[in-house]
């Protein structure tokens, strides 16, 4: 199973690279009036843009509701970033919870999500818990529709589901399992099952398989008579004289041929975020990133296309954050994967002063945001680069991004026989990369502080208590500790911490901020209709997933918090789009 997943990721990287070479960036930022349309090359009731979880769900549910469907994917391959992911989808009140007679109360689940999505405004005494009406309605709509979305996909024969299991054999916990509002801290995560054992994940570490999720969804396309076209890049929306969306202008990039496709009822975008649009990242995100594991097709097409159609943007400063090895990202902005958890137990992350600045085992979304801390005195992002430091124990016993346990050291791993030599080698590497890092370098106190930091950490490892950052004290940290590899014996009381060796060799990796993908774009309402700046729906235009101003706000509720809402709002968009009347040309 693991080999098939790796093969799927390799195929995606190859196909995505081909798409970049073909140049599939959308051209249009101007609406095309229907009066200029002399003919339609194709037409359907619903046109779906993209082919990941959101788009696939939208296509299937549109067809299930009786509509004809055309799906358009700009890359040469289908599946979007979903197919490259671990494929877990987070579904509150899901069918497997119900089978186990586990209650997942609506109000508590909504409060948990709002608390994380809008923590600075969260007010448990307010009827909407401190958020705006549309923000509340979107999260409520997710809860209200998520379980039925999965249930209907199963009934349609488009999906088989299993529970996401941690390496310890328990259900994988939510990222804030200890929050008082979280009455179901485990069991909401699901994956596309292939084992026939729905209560057991099918590969070591308990993850899923995004390629398998897409394979299952797409296997139903023929039965539902969904027409899908790869290498078809949407350039702009077409409106009629009433301002209603009635179609799209497209480039068949394989044949360099322009096409005009009519959508009799509606257009649904599920086209991904803008991780690989440098201009958007530099202008909108809350801090600098080096790249991300979204496919190269994630260039934020719907930001420009939606704005040209009159859409209001939202949530543009947030992303699904994940640390990334800086040197890998500098070679290829679309990295193989993010760093879900810092591998190893005899491993720490330190800043340019040689000091720990975070809990290395905290969930990736929160850990990454430490990189955005601004130093107003020195006028710099003080944690632009952090340094993963580990010893031979971790190198030998652990594997996973960014550590390679066997064979020659990869280029992004720096080594040294002593901490002093490691420091020298790190500084030389930073000098070589200076042009890409704004001159970022180690402070002169780095090696002295690093020795003190390791001595302090070793004391914490021996006692089992991290007095600085509370490492290993939450359920999700324990669940992630052995994610993707065999359980490693640790004689000390906290399995996430082992003393770092007093003698070398030692190793280091440069880490920076990255994303799984961004989650900002045109705003939608609880019907997945795209909204204009005054909150009014743009007739005939729908969207779901990472191309929208995401309902999750700044939060990452749990593993699968990206794909769960994508599947759900894909269904919501489809159900409402199909209800629309046929538009005049």
């Amino acid at each position: 199973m693991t080999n098939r997943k790796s093969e799927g990721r390799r195929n995606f990287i190859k196909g995505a690279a081909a798409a970049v070479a073909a140049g599939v960036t959308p051209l249009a930022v101007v609406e095309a009036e229907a009066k200029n349309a002399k003919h339609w090359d194709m037409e359907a009731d619903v046109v779906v843009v993209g082919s990941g979880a959101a788009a696939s769900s939208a296509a299937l549910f549109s067809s299930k509701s009786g509509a004809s469907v055309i799906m358009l994917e700009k890359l040469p391959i289908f599946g979007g970033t979903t197919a490259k992911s671990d494929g877990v989808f987070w579904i509150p009140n899901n069918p497997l919870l119900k089978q186990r007679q586990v209650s997942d109360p609506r109000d508590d689940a909504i409060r948990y999500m709002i608390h994380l999505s809008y923590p600075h405004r969260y007010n448990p005494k307010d009827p909407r818990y401190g958020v705006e009406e549309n923000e509340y309605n979107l999260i409520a709509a997710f809860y209200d529709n998520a379980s039925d979305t999965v249930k209907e996909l199963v009934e349609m024969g488009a999906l088989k589901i299993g529970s996401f299991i941690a390496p310890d054999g328990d259900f994988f916990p939510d990222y804030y399992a200890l929050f008082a509002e979280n009455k179901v801290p485990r069991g909401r995560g699901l994956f596309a099952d292939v084992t026939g054992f729905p209560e057991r994940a099918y590969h070591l570490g308990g993850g899923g398989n995004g390629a398998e999720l897409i394979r299952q969804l797409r296997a139903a396309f023929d039965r539902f008579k969904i027409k899908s076209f790869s290498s078809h890049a949407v350039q702009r929306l077409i409106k009629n004289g009433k301002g209603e969306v009635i179609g799209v202008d497209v480039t068949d990039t394989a044949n360099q041929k322009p096409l005009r496709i009519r959508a009799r009822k509606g257009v649904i975008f599920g086209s991904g975020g803008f991780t690989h649009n440098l201009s958007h990242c530099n202008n909108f995100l809350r801090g600098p990133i080096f790249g991300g594991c979204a496919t190269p097709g994630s260039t934020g097409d719907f930001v420009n296309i939606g704005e040209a159609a009159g859409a209001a943007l939202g949530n543009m400063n947030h992303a699904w954050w994940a640390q990334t090895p800086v040197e890998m990202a500098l070679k290829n902005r679309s990295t193989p994967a993010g760093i879900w958890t810092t591998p190893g137990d005899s491993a720490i992350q330190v800043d340019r002063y040689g000091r720990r600045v975070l809990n290395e085992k905290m969930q990736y979304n929160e850990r990454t945001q430490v990189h955005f801390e601004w130093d107003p005195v020195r006028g710099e992002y003080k944690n632009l680069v952090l340094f993963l430091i580990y010893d031979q124990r971790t190198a030998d016993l652990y594997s996973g991004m960014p550590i390679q346990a066997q064979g020659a050291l990869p280029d992004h791993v720096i080594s040294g026989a002593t901490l002093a030599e490691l420091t020298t080698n790190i500084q030389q590497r930073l000098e070589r990369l200076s042009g890409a890092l704004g001159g970022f370098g180690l402070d002169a106190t780095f090696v002295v502080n690093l020795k003190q930091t390791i001595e302090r950490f070793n004391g914490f490892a021996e006692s089992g208590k991290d007095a600085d950052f509370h490492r290993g004290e939450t359920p999700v940290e324990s669940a992630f500790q052995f994610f993707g590899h065999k359980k490693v014996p640790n004689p000390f009381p906290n399995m996430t911490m082992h003393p770092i060796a007093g003698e070398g060799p030692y190793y280091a990796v440069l880490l920076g901020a990255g994303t799984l993908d961004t989650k900002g774009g045109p705003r939608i309402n609880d019907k997945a209709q795209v909204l204009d700046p005054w909150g009014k729906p743009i007739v005939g235009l729908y969207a779901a997933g990472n191309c929208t101003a995401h309902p999750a706000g700044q939060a990452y509720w749990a593993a699968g918090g990206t794909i769960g809402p994508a599947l759900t709002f894909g269904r919501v968009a489809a159900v409402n789009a199909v209800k629309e009347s046929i538009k005049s040309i």
Side-chain angles (χ1 to χ4, degrees):
M1 301 298 180
T2 304
N3 290 337
R4 179 168 60 185
K5 178 178 177 181
S6 299
E7 181 180 356
R9 282 183 171 169
R10 286 195 297 270
N11 290 339
F12 249 79
I13 293 170
K14 292 177 182 177
V20 172
V24 293
T25 303
L27 304 175
V29 292
V30 180
E31 296 177 26
E33 297 297 336
K35 64 183 179 182
N36 295 325
K38 296 180 179 179
H39 73 280
W40 301 99
D41 296 286
M42 291 185 282
E43 59 181 88
D45 294 325
V46 175
V47 172
V48 176
V49 184
S51 64
S56 297
S57 176
L60 286 165
F61 282 105
S62 294
S63 183
K64 178 179 182 287
S65 301
S68 58
V69 180
I70 291 174
M71 170 182 277
L72 305 171
E73 166 58 54
K74 77 173 184 177
L75 294 182
I77 45 178
F78 294 104
T81 299
T82 302
K84 191 183 173 187
S85 74
D86 274 333
V88 178
F89 38 103
W90 190 73
I91 303 292
N93 199 33
N94 67 61
L96 296 186
L97 286 174
K98 294 174 183 178
Q99 284 182 17
R100 291 164 36 223
Q101 298 183 325
V102 175
S103 174
D104 193 352
R106 181 179 190 270
D107 192 59
D108 290 314
I110 290 173
R111 286 196 301 132
Y112 170 71
M113 289 186 273
I114 290 177
H115 189 169
L116 281 174
S117 299
Y118 307 101
H120 54 300
R121 289 189 273 141
Y122 176 61
N123 179 0
K125 297 180 180 180
D126 180 77
R128 293 198 303 264
Y129 307 120
V131 299
E132 297 176 8
E133 182 178 7
N134 192 56
E135 293 168 338
Y136 177 89
N137 290 344
L138 283 167
I139 288 179
F142 172 55
Y143 178 92
D144 292 340
N145 290 279
S147 183
D148 285 345
T149 296
V150 171
K151 177 175 178 287
E152 290 182 31
L153 285 170
V154 172
E155 292 173 347
M156 292 158 59
L159 185 62
K160 296 178 181 179
I161 59 173
S163 292
F164 183 31
I165 307 297
D168 62 5
D170 199 353
F171 297 102
F172 203 88
D174 291 349
Y175 288 164
Y176 285 86
L178 296 179
F179 268 29
E181 302 92 341
N182 195 345
K183 299 299 191 289
V184 186
R186 296 176 182 264
R188 290 168 170 156
L190 304 175
F191 70 100
D193 180 52
V194 295
T195 64
F197 298 96
E199 294 297 330
R200 186 177 73 195
Y202 65 79
H203 72 77
L204 184 64
N209 186 326
E212 174 62 20
L213 172 59
I214 291 297
R215 188 200 68 77
Q216 290 190 23
L217 294 175
R218 287 192 58 79
F221 274 33
D222 288 343
R223 182 157 42 89
F224 281 91
K225 299 180 180 180
I226 296 168
K227 298 178 181 178
S228 57
F229 299 89
S230 62
S231 300
H232 278 58
V234 173
Q235 305 293 344
R236 59 185 176 185
L237 292 162
I238 302 170
K239 287 185 174 183
N240 63 15
K242 299 177 182 178
E244 300 168 326
V245 172
I246 61 167
V248 290
D249 275 336
V250 181
T251 299
D252 173 356
T253 58
N255 299 298
Q256 293 302 306
K257 180 182 178 181
L259 300 171
R260 181 156 286 189
I261 301 176
R262 183 185 178 193
R264 290 187 287 262
K265 292 190 172 185
V267 175
I268 303 174
F269 272 79
S271 52
F274 58 83
T275 290
H276 301 304
N277 185 318
L278 286 173
S279 177
H280 286 354
C281 289
N282 290 335
N283 281 287
F284 293 119
L285 294 182
R286 58 178 293 190
I289 67 168
F290 290 94
C293 50
T295 58
S298 293
T299 53
D301 302 354
F302 193 41
V303 173
N304 290 346
I305 292 172
E307 274 199 302
L313 302 181
N315 213 50
M316 295 291 287
N317 55 330
H318 292 303
W320 309 103
W321 308 110
Q323 283 184 302
T324 190
V326 169
E327 293 182 86
M328 292 179 67
L330 290 177
K331 291 179 180 178
N332 186 343
R333 188 174 174 86
S334 182
T335 54
I339 301 172
W340 312 120
T341 184
T342 302
D345 48 19
S346 54
I348 57 176
Q349 289 188 33
V350 299
D351 64 7
R352 62 194 296 260
Y353 301 97
R355 301 190 181 100
R356 292 176 70 211
V357 293
L358 48 71
N359 175 348
E360 295 87 352
K361 297 295 181 177
M362 73 170 64
Q363 52 269 39
Y364 44 93
N365 188 69
E366 274 61 43
R367 190 175 69 241
T368 304
Q369 294 176 69
V370 174
H371 287 283
F372 303 141
E373 183 176 348
W374 178 252
D375 185 335
V377 176
R378 292 179 172 83
E380 64 181 12
Y381 286 101
K382 64 184 296 290
N383 298 327
L384 178 71
V385 177
L386 294 177
F387 305 91
L388 170 60
I389 307 292
Y390 57 99
D391 63 7
Q392 193 64 46
R393 169 190 167 83
T394 285
D396 288 341
L397 299 180
Y398 287 85
S399 62
M401 179 71 79
I403 291 173
Q404 180 174 310
Q406 304 296 330
L409 289 178
D411 291 342
H412 65 268
V413 175
I414 305 166
S415 64
T418 65
L419 291 176
E421 182 179 304
L422 181 69
T423 299
T424 298
N425 293 341
I426 292 172
Q427 183 58 39
Q428 289 176 351
R429 187 69 58 90
L430 291 172
E431 290 171 359
R432 190 194 316 167
L433 301 172
S434 177
L437 302 178
F440 189 90
L442 298 181
D443 187 78
T445 61
F446 180 86
V447 68
V448 173
N449 291 335
L450 178 60
K451 291 177 180 178
Q452 294 174 353
T453 296
I454 289 175
E455 181 180 359
R456 183 171 175 81
F457 172 80
N458 286 353
F460 295 157
E462 291 169 0
S463 70
K465 293 291 184 180
D466 177 2
D468 291 339
F469 298 103
H470 306 283
R471 177 161 150 178
E473 294 182 10
T474 63
V476 74
E477 293 173 61
S478 298
F480 264 133
Q481 176 63 16
F482 303 116
F483 191 80
H485 45 70
K486 295 180 180 179
K487 190 171 182 178
V488 177
N490 184 333
F492 294 92
N494 184 330
M495 68 178 177
T496 73
M497 295 191 294
H498 185 286
I500 295 172
E503 295 183 355
Y506 300 103
Y507 303 92
V509 177
L510 313 184
L511 301 182
T515 74
L516 306 184
D517 202 356
T518 60
K519 51 177 171 176
R523 295 176 60 231
I524 61 171
N525 62 15
D526 57 356
K527 294 183 179 180
Q529 295 171 298
V530 176
L531 304 177
D532 69 14
W534 295 272
K536 182 179 178 181
I538 297 172
V539 178
L541 184 58
Y542 295 80
N546 292 343
C547 68
T548 69
H550 203 280
Q554 75 170 52
Y556 210 132
W557 301 316
T562 59
I563 298 176
L567 291 170
T568 301
F569 280 96
R571 172 179 174 268
V572 171
V575 168
N576 288 290
V578 171
K579 291 177 182 178
E580 293 224 15
S581 60
I582 295 176
K583 311 294 186 299
S584 60
I585 298 175

